[in-house]
Amino acid sequence: MFLVIIYYMMPPKGRKRCRSLLPDVLSNLLDNVVDVILMYLPCKDAVRTSILSTKWRYNWCRRTKLTLDESHWRTKNDRLDHTVKFKKIINQFLALHEGPITKFTLKINSLKRCPKIDNFICFLSRNEIRYLVLHLPREKPYKLPSSLFTCSQLSHLTLHDCSINPSSAFKGFDKLISLELCRVTISSEFLESLISHCLLLEQFVLEIPEVVNRIEINASKLRSFDFTGCVSSIYLKNVPLLEKVSLIGDESSMEAENFGFAKSCSALEHLIFNYSYNEMALDEQDEVATRLPFEVNSIKRFYLPHLRALCLIRSFPHLEYLEIEVGNEYDITALECLEMERFSDVTFNHLREVKIKCFTGTTPEIQLIKLLFAKSPLLLRMLIDTWFLDHKFLDTRLDTLAEISKFWRASPKAEVVYIDCSLKMRS
């Protein structure tokens, strides 16, 4: 692209002469200009610039940001094992690269087994690595070398499908701001120690495949926490800046009293909670709980996965945005928990926008919309995803939407927006 731009910027009479000068123009570019050009090229294309001239042959070796994935070794007629190809690329890289590497991404999760990368991790640890992403094969977690824990400049670390077991001398990453651990084998003791010693940590993503009883997070600078897995309780300690929490799991035993972490997070505004509501009964005598045993005044945005958990919003009196995924949840309990009488003492005084996903038109879903209209005096917009409505029966579908448009609304400004590629309606 660079050659083409120079050629067409020249006047017609000078183009012939320009062709003979192009190699000199490329050779005389300042190193910092060359580095910027190479930085914006994909790694594979940057290496190809080595054919431009003798001076450009090893310019790519100064790149400070690199990404290696299967596109570097996969070809249409693969005869050599991909792991062997990867090893050749790594060995060549170690032999030729010069200068610091501030950002490196390795994605080899498609390989059947993880090649030995200890020397490469050690190489990065000595070259000022700040942003490191490792997506390794899932089949057998690779044990990362101790040299990883000598990367003193790390500000961002992402590890997928590996195991880590540092020495007792390791005290954390002083400059780490973002940490992502997905399917990483790690002891709960070391996890807690790691988090508490990363004093600048702001973003933490944790996905664990096994069931755990308790997770304790102590991070005074933490602003965002995303957890996926099965856990009995989460204890967030000393998190005064925490704004967003996402908890996702399919078979959790989390009980309502262990939801108390939200009470201690004074800055928490955005909550995504996707756990089995059957495990969150506050009172074993009641099928449906009415509220949490406390209120969380800070939460403004809330996502929940099913109708039966709707009562949880009673505990968030300052809620402004609600997103709920309904699906085909047609059962007596779901219908009973949406009865208007159950919310006679509740008004959603701050709710401004509601998004209903996977709407199918069942009675509980219709009742939910009716309830939210009647109890939300400041509501501005009700977004309804109608994609899941039966497209075969257009008359029935239109009747359902017409019924919704007639519901009484506590807010005179409330409008309904139907989200559907084939049907654009507003009432």
PDB file of all heavy atoms in Angstrom, residues 93-117:
ATOM      1  N   PHE A  93      11.826 -16.829  15.556  1.00  0.00           N
ATOM      2  CA  PHE A  93      11.530 -15.569  16.224  1.00  0.00           C
ATOM      3  C   PHE A  93      12.556 -15.291  17.321  1.00  0.00           C
ATOM      4  O   PHE A  93      13.087 -14.179  17.447  1.00  0.00           O
ATOM      5  CB  PHE A  93      10.129 -15.632  16.807  1.00  0.00           C
ATOM      6  CG  PHE A  93       9.722 -14.396  17.544  1.00  0.00           C
ATOM      7  CD1 PHE A  93       9.211 -13.304  16.871  1.00  0.00           C
ATOM      8  CD2 PHE A  93       9.865 -14.323  18.917  1.00  0.00           C
ATOM      9  CE1 PHE A  93       8.849 -12.162  17.557  1.00  0.00           C
ATOM     10  CE2 PHE A  93       9.497 -13.187  19.611  1.00  0.00           C
ATOM     11  CZ  PHE A  93       8.994 -12.105  18.927  1.00  0.00           C
ATOM     12  N   LEU A  94      12.856 -16.306  18.133  1.00  0.00           N
ATOM     13  CA  LEU A  94      13.822 -16.136  19.216  1.00  0.00           C
ATOM     14  C   LEU A  94      15.202 -15.786  18.692  1.00  0.00           C
ATOM     15  O   LEU A  94      15.956 -15.034  19.322  1.00  0.00           O
ATOM     16  CB  LEU A  94      13.896 -17.418  20.056  1.00  0.00           C
ATOM     17  CG  LEU A  94      12.668 -17.767  20.896  1.00  0.00           C
ATOM     18  CD1 LEU A  94      12.831 -19.131  21.536  1.00  0.00           C
ATOM     19  CD2 LEU A  94      12.425 -16.714  21.968  1.00  0.00           C
ATOM     20  N   ALA A  95      15.541 -16.317  17.527  1.00  0.00           N
ATOM     21  CA  ALA A  95      16.873 -16.084  16.964  1.00  0.00           C
ATOM     22  C   ALA A  95      17.017 -14.695  16.345  1.00  0.00           C
ATOM     23  O   ALA A  95      18.106 -14.119  16.367  1.00  0.00           O
ATOM     24  CB  ALA A  95      17.172 -17.156  15.906  1.00  0.00           C
ATOM     25  N   LEU A  96      15.909 -14.126  15.823  1.00  0.00           N
ATOM     26  CA  LEU A  96      16.018 -12.894  15.049  1.00  0.00           C
ATOM     27  C   LEU A  96      15.519 -11.639  15.760  1.00  0.00           C
ATOM     28  O   LEU A  96      15.984 -10.543  15.442  1.00  0.00           O
ATOM     29  CB  LEU A  96      15.253 -13.054  13.721  1.00  0.00           C
ATOM     30  CG  LEU A  96      15.778 -14.112  12.755  1.00  0.00           C
ATOM     31  CD1 LEU A  96      14.874 -14.208  11.532  1.00  0.00           C
ATOM     32  CD2 LEU A  96      17.206 -13.804  12.329  1.00  0.00           C
ATOM     33  N   HIS A  97      14.570 -11.774  16.669  1.00  0.00           N
ATOM     34  CA  HIS A  97      13.975 -10.558  17.248  1.00  0.00           C
ATOM     35  C   HIS A  97      14.971  -9.781  18.107  1.00  0.00           C
ATOM     36  O   HIS A  97      15.806 -10.350  18.790  1.00  0.00           O
ATOM     37  CB  HIS A  97      12.756 -10.909  18.098  1.00  0.00           C
ATOM     38  CG  HIS A  97      11.946  -9.706  18.447  1.00  0.00           C
ATOM     39  ND1 HIS A  97      12.223  -8.914  19.535  1.00  0.00           N
ATOM     40  CD2 HIS A  97      10.886  -9.126  17.828  1.00  0.00           C
ATOM     41  CE1 HIS A  97      11.363  -7.913  19.582  1.00  0.00           C
ATOM     42  NE2 HIS A  97      10.540  -8.024  18.556  1.00  0.00           N
ATOM     43  N   GLU A  98      14.845  -8.454  18.039  1.00  0.00           N
ATOM     44  CA  GLU A  98      15.701  -7.588  18.841  1.00  0.00           C
ATOM     45  C   GLU A  98      14.862  -6.469  19.451  1.00  0.00           C
ATOM     46  O   GLU A  98      13.860  -6.046  18.882  1.00  0.00           O
ATOM     47  CB  GLU A  98      16.817  -6.989  17.983  1.00  0.00           C
ATOM     48  CG  GLU A  98      16.321  -6.191  16.802  1.00  0.00           C
ATOM     49  CD  GLU A  98      17.455  -5.686  15.923  1.00  0.00           C
ATOM     50  OE1 GLU A  98      18.344  -6.508  15.606  1.00  0.00           O
ATOM     51  OE2 GLU A  98      17.446  -4.499  15.568  1.00  0.00           O
ATOM     52  N   GLY A  99      15.233  -6.037  20.621  1.00  0.00           N
ATOM     53  CA  GLY A  99      14.516  -4.958  21.280  1.00  0.00           C
ATOM     54  C   GLY A  99      13.378  -5.467  22.139  1.00  0.00           C
ATOM     55  O   GLY A  99      13.122  -6.673  22.245  1.00  0.00           O
ATOM     56  N   PRO A 100      12.631  -4.549  22.772  1.00  0.00           N
ATOM     57  CA  PRO A 100      11.548  -4.926  23.693  1.00  0.00           C
ATOM     58  C   PRO A 100      10.319  -5.459  22.968  1.00  0.00           C
ATOM     59  O   PRO A 100      10.089  -5.170  21.793  1.00  0.00           O
ATOM     60  CB  PRO A 100      11.233  -3.613  24.415  1.00  0.00           C
ATOM     61  CG  PRO A 100      11.595  -2.551  23.425  1.00  0.00           C
ATOM     62  CD  PRO A 100      12.798  -3.075  22.698  1.00  0.00           C
ATOM     63  N   ILE A 101       9.520  -6.243  23.676  1.00  0.00           N
ATOM     64  CA  ILE A 101       8.205  -6.695  23.209  1.00  0.00           C
ATOM     65  C   ILE A 101       7.207  -6.283  24.287  1.00  0.00           C
ATOM     66  O   ILE A 101       7.180  -6.863  25.372  1.00  0.00           O
ATOM     67  CB  ILE A 101       8.153  -8.219  23.016  1.00  0.00           C
ATOM     68  CG1 ILE A 101       9.209  -8.658  22.018  1.00  0.00           C
ATOM     69  CG2 ILE A 101       6.771  -8.648  22.534  1.00  0.00           C
ATOM     70  CD1 ILE A 101       9.290 -10.152  21.846  1.00  0.00           C
ATOM     71  N   THR A 102       6.402  -5.305  24.002  1.00  0.00           N
ATOM     72  CA  THR A 102       5.474  -4.800  25.023  1.00  0.00           C
ATOM     73  C   THR A 102       4.132  -5.526  25.010  1.00  0.00           C
ATOM     74  O   THR A 102       3.452  -5.578  26.025  1.00  0.00           O
ATOM     75  CB  THR A 102       5.238  -3.293  24.823  1.00  0.00           C
ATOM     76  OG1 THR A 102       4.715  -3.059  23.510  1.00  0.00           O
ATOM     77  CG2 THR A 102       6.540  -2.520  24.997  1.00  0.00           C
ATOM     78  N   LYS A 103       3.754  -6.078  23.848  1.00  0.00           N
ATOM     79  CA  LYS A 103       2.461  -6.745  23.747  1.00  0.00           C
ATOM     80  C   LYS A 103       2.609  -8.011  22.922  1.00  0.00           C
ATOM     81  O   LYS A 103       3.104  -7.971  21.791  1.00  0.00           O
ATOM     82  CB  LYS A 103       1.424  -5.822  23.097  1.00  0.00           C
ATOM     83  CG  LYS A 103       0.027  -6.431  23.008  1.00  0.00           C
ATOM     84  CD  LYS A 103      -0.980  -5.438  22.452  1.00  0.00           C
ATOM     85  CE  LYS A 103      -2.381  -6.030  22.387  1.00  0.00           C
ATOM     86  NZ  LYS A 103      -3.376  -5.067  21.868  1.00  0.00           N
ATOM     87  N   PHE A 104       2.164  -9.147  23.484  1.00  0.00           N
ATOM     88  CA  PHE A 104       2.259 -10.410  22.759  1.00  0.00           C
ATOM     89  C   PHE A 104       0.999 -11.237  23.000  1.00  0.00           C
ATOM     90  O   PHE A 104       0.549 -11.404  24.131  1.00  0.00           O
ATOM     91  CB  PHE A 104       3.481 -11.209  23.206  1.00  0.00           C
ATOM     92  CG  PHE A 104       3.639 -12.498  22.457  1.00  0.00           C
ATOM     93  CD1 PHE A 104       4.143 -12.501  21.159  1.00  0.00           C
ATOM     94  CD2 PHE A 104       3.262 -13.703  23.018  1.00  0.00           C
ATOM     95  CE1 PHE A 104       4.260 -13.687  20.453  1.00  0.00           C
ATOM     96  CE2 PHE A 104       3.380 -14.888  22.321  1.00  0.00           C
ATOM     97  CZ  PHE A 104       3.877 -14.876  21.029  1.00  0.00           C
ATOM     98  N   THR A 105       0.435 -11.753  21.894  1.00  0.00           N
ATOM     99  CA  THR A 105      -0.751 -12.602  21.946  1.00  0.00           C
ATOM    100  C   THR A 105      -0.446 -13.929  21.260  1.00  0.00           C
ATOM    101  O   THR A 105       0.008 -13.937  20.110  1.00  0.00           O
ATOM    102  CB  THR A 105      -1.947 -11.932  21.251  1.00  0.00           C
ATOM    103  OG1 THR A 105      -2.257 -10.706  21.913  1.00  0.00           O
ATOM    104  CG2 THR A 105      -3.171 -12.832  21.287  1.00  0.00           C
ATOM    105  N   LEU A 106      -0.683 -15.018  21.959  1.00  0.00           N
ATOM    106  CA  LEU A 106      -0.457 -16.355  21.414  1.00  0.00           C
ATOM    107  C   LEU A 106      -1.757 -17.138  21.484  1.00  0.00           C
ATOM    108  O   LEU A 106      -2.312 -17.352  22.560  1.00  0.00           O
ATOM    109  CB  LEU A 106       0.632 -17.071  22.221  1.00  0.00           C
ATOM    110  CG  LEU A 106       0.922 -18.520  21.824  1.00  0.00           C
ATOM    111  CD1 LEU A 106       1.465 -18.590  20.409  1.00  0.00           C
ATOM    112  CD2 LEU A 106       1.894 -19.160  22.813  1.00  0.00           C
ATOM    113  N   LYS A 107      -2.266 -17.573  20.317  1.00  0.00           N
ATOM    114  CA  LYS A 107      -3.499 -18.345  20.255  1.00  0.00           C
ATOM    115  C   LYS A 107      -3.229 -19.670  19.551  1.00  0.00           C
ATOM    116  O   LYS A 107      -3.221 -19.745  18.325  1.00  0.00           O
ATOM    117  CB  LYS A 107      -4.590 -17.563  19.525  1.00  0.00           C
ATOM    118  CG  LYS A 107      -5.037 -16.300  20.268  1.00  0.00           C
ATOM    119  CD  LYS A 107      -6.178 -15.600  19.554  1.00  0.00           C
ATOM    120  CE  LYS A 107      -6.642 -14.381  20.330  1.00  0.00           C
ATOM    121  NZ  LYS A 107      -7.771 -13.687  19.668  1.00  0.00           N
ATOM    122  N   ILE A 108      -3.009 -20.703  20.350  1.00  0.00           N
ATOM    123  CA  ILE A 108      -2.737 -22.026  19.792  1.00  0.00           C
ATOM    124  C   ILE A 108      -3.719 -23.051  20.369  1.00  0.00           C
ATOM    125  O   ILE A 108      -3.399 -24.238  20.501  1.00  0.00           O
ATOM    126  CB  ILE A 108      -1.281 -22.462  20.073  1.00  0.00           C
ATOM    127  CG1 ILE A 108      -0.978 -22.401  21.576  1.00  0.00           C
ATOM    128  CG2 ILE A 108      -0.301 -21.608  19.301  1.00  0.00           C
ATOM    129  CD1 ILE A 108       0.381 -22.974  21.929  1.00  0.00           C
ATOM    130  N   ASN A 109      -4.927 -22.585  20.715  1.00  0.00           N
ATOM    131  CA  ASN A 109      -5.922 -23.473  21.306  1.00  0.00           C
ATOM    132  C   ASN A 109      -6.417 -24.541  20.332  1.00  0.00           C
ATOM    133  O   ASN A 109      -7.050 -25.514  20.743  1.00  0.00           O
ATOM    134  CB  ASN A 109      -7.106 -22.671  21.852  1.00  0.00           C
ATOM    135  CG  ASN A 109      -7.569 -21.591  20.907  1.00  0.00           C
ATOM    136  OD1 ASN A 109      -6.803 -20.693  20.572  1.00  0.00           O
ATOM    137  ND2 ASN A 109      -8.820 -21.655  20.497  1.00  0.00           N
ATOM    138  N   SER A 110      -6.151 -24.369  19.029  1.00  0.00           N
ATOM    139  CA  SER A 110      -6.584 -25.371  18.046  1.00  0.00           C
ATOM    140  C   SER A 110      -5.627 -26.559  17.969  1.00  0.00           C
ATOM    141  O   SER A 110      -5.958 -27.587  17.381  1.00  0.00           O
ATOM    142  CB  SER A 110      -6.706 -24.722  16.663  1.00  0.00           C
ATOM    143  OG  SER A 110      -5.444 -24.226  16.229  1.00  0.00           O
ATOM    144  N   LEU A 111      -4.438 -26.424  18.537  1.00  0.00           N
ATOM    145  CA  LEU A 111      -3.480 -27.527  18.513  1.00  0.00           C
ATOM    146  C   LEU A 111      -3.940 -28.660  19.436  1.00  0.00           C
ATOM    147  O   LEU A 111      -4.611 -28.428  20.440  1.00  0.00           O
ATOM    148  CB  LEU A 111      -2.095 -27.046  18.958  1.00  0.00           C
ATOM    149  CG  LEU A 111      -1.397 -26.013  18.064  1.00  0.00           C
ATOM    150  CD1 LEU A 111      -0.029 -25.671  18.651  1.00  0.00           C
ATOM    151  CD2 LEU A 111      -1.250 -26.512  16.640  1.00  0.00           C
ATOM    152  N   LYS A 112      -3.559 -29.884  19.089  1.00  0.00           N
ATOM    153  CA  LYS A 112      -3.950 -31.037  19.899  1.00  0.00           C
ATOM    154  C   LYS A 112      -3.182 -31.067  21.217  1.00  0.00           C
ATOM    155  O   LYS A 112      -3.683 -31.538  22.226  1.00  0.00           O
ATOM    156  CB  LYS A 112      -3.715 -32.331  19.112  1.00  0.00           C
ATOM    157  CG  LYS A 112      -4.635 -32.486  17.911  1.00  0.00           C
ATOM    158  CD  LYS A 112      -4.389 -33.802  17.202  1.00  0.00           C
ATOM    159  CE  LYS A 112      -5.342 -33.967  16.018  1.00  0.00           C
ATOM    160  NZ  LYS A 112      -5.103 -35.239  15.306  1.00  0.00           N
ATOM    161  N   ARG A 113      -1.969 -30.597  21.187  1.00  0.00           N
ATOM    162  CA  ARG A 113      -1.164 -30.549  22.410  1.00  0.00           C
ATOM    163  C   ARG A 113      -0.353 -29.259  22.414  1.00  0.00           C
ATOM    164  O   ARG A 113      -0.097 -28.664  21.362  1.00  0.00           O
ATOM    165  CB  ARG A 113      -0.228 -31.760  22.494  1.00  0.00           C
ATOM    166  CG  ARG A 113       0.809 -31.810  21.385  1.00  0.00           C
ATOM    167  CD  ARG A 113       1.644 -33.089  21.453  1.00  0.00           C
ATOM    168  NE  ARG A 113       2.717 -33.106  20.488  1.00  0.00           N
ATOM    169  CZ  ARG A 113       2.583 -33.407  19.211  1.00  0.00           C
ATOM    170  NH1 ARG A 113       1.393 -33.741  18.750  1.00  0.00           N
ATOM    171  NH2 ARG A 113       3.623 -33.405  18.392  1.00  0.00           N
ATOM    172  N   CYS A 114       0.036 -28.868  23.581  1.00  0.00           N
ATOM    173  CA  CYS A 114       0.780 -27.612  23.709  1.00  0.00           C
ATOM    174  C   CYS A 114       2.276 -27.877  23.573  1.00  0.00           C
ATOM    175  O   CYS A 114       2.840 -28.676  24.334  1.00  0.00           O
ATOM    176  CB  CYS A 114       0.486 -26.948  25.055  1.00  0.00           C
ATOM    177  SG  CYS A 114       1.225 -25.313  25.217  1.00  0.00           S
ATOM    178  N   PRO A 115       2.930 -27.242  22.624  1.00  0.00           N
ATOM    179  CA  PRO A 115       4.385 -27.398  22.517  1.00  0.00           C
ATOM    180  C   PRO A 115       5.065 -26.720  23.705  1.00  0.00           C
ATOM    181  O   PRO A 115       4.478 -25.877  24.376  1.00  0.00           O
ATOM    182  CB  PRO A 115       4.717 -26.676  21.201  1.00  0.00           C
ATOM    183  CG  PRO A 115       3.598 -25.711  21.014  1.00  0.00           C
ATOM    184  CD  PRO A 115       2.376 -26.336  21.605  1.00  0.00           C
ATOM    185  N   LYS A 116       6.286 -27.057  23.943  1.00  0.00           N
ATOM    186  CA  LYS A 116       7.014 -26.486  25.079  1.00  0.00           C
ATOM    187  C   LYS A 116       7.337 -25.020  24.775  1.00  0.00           C
ATOM    188  O   LYS A 116       8.006 -24.714  23.789  1.00  0.00           O
ATOM    189  CB  LYS A 116       8.296 -27.273  25.322  1.00  0.00           C
ATOM    190  CG  LYS A 116       8.920 -27.018  26.685  1.00  0.00           C
ATOM    191  CD  LYS A 116      10.013 -28.006  26.964  1.00  0.00           C
ATOM    192  CE  LYS A 116      10.630 -27.774  28.338  1.00  0.00           C
ATOM    193  NZ  LYS A 116       9.662 -27.968  29.421  1.00  0.00           N
ATOM    194  N   ILE A 117       6.831 -24.145  25.626  1.00  0.00           N
ATOM    195  CA  ILE A 117       7.026 -22.709  25.396  1.00  0.00           C
ATOM    196  C   ILE A 117       7.752 -22.044  26.570  1.00  0.00           C
ATOM    197  O   ILE A 117       7.746 -20.824  26.697  1.00  0.00           O
ATOM    198  CB  ILE A 117       5.680 -21.992  25.164  1.00  0.00           C
ATOM    199  CG1 ILE A 117       4.727 -22.238  26.338  1.00  0.00           C
ATOM    200  CG2 ILE A 117       5.042 -22.430  23.856  1.00  0.00           C
ATOM    201  CD1 ILE A 117       3.430 -21.442  26.249  1.00  0.00           C
TER     202      ILE A 117
END
